[in-house]
Amino acid sequence: MNKKIIFLSLFIIFACYKNQHVLKNYDSHIFPPFFHRNPSNSHFSENEISILKNVFKNWNFFSKKDLSNSNGHNSEENHLFKHGFNEFIHSLNFDLDQTKTRTAIDTLNQFIAKYPNSKKVQEIRNIIVKLIKKLEKKDYYIANTYFFMHKYKAASIYFKDFIKKYPKSIYKEKALYKTCIITYKMADNKEKALDFFDNYQKYVKLYPDSHSKIKKLKTYYKELLKL
């Protein structure tokens, strides 16, 4: 089947599915429209994952004719791209271990390093951003799970690691606030209370407008001063 027809068909399917306009310049953009959404929206729906996996499984990105007619450079580029995109497709499930996500990021970065002038580079960068956001969300989810299970020691370790790895994360405020709660819960002596005071000062300095949360933390602060 003509490759342009495949591209256009896919875009029509996904445009209808997401109620979006079909991209006009479809020949220069090889990915369905949802790749162009806000990169911070890192969570694919089950329907999107299922559709993408089926598309990749049944769609021969580059026909044997394309490969045989291309020079060695283009053929190698196409194979590396297909490999990287395959890793991406198999990393989409948020609930699974994220090893495949990291592998996909590594493979796609290899493509950019090897073919920096490829027309696919910008789209691949968009995918990498989405994958990194997914790792960020997953790491926060793990820490938060320990927090709600009242496993405060484990939660503290994961939240501290999260803040270190993602200093500009949209989840940083929540992570630091919950770290304050954790250090309060674990402060059964004056030495441990110092951990709370330190995190409290950091939170107030970074998020002075979070009045309701600061008000709650102040009650903990006054309580621990009595130890």
Side-chain angles (χ1 to χ4, degrees), residues 47-77:
N47 283 341
E48 286 176 332
I49 293 173
S50 177
I51 292 171
L52 271 171
K53 285 185 176 180
N54 286 331
V55 166
F56 188 82
K57 181 179 179 181
N58 297 307
W59 177 25
N60 184 10
F61 279 91
F62 305 101
S63 68
K64 293 180 180 179
K65 181 179 179 181
D66 291 332
L67 293 176
S68 62
N69 290 339
S70 62
N71 58 41
H73 172 83
N74 288 337
S75 177
E76 185 180 358
E77 176 184 344

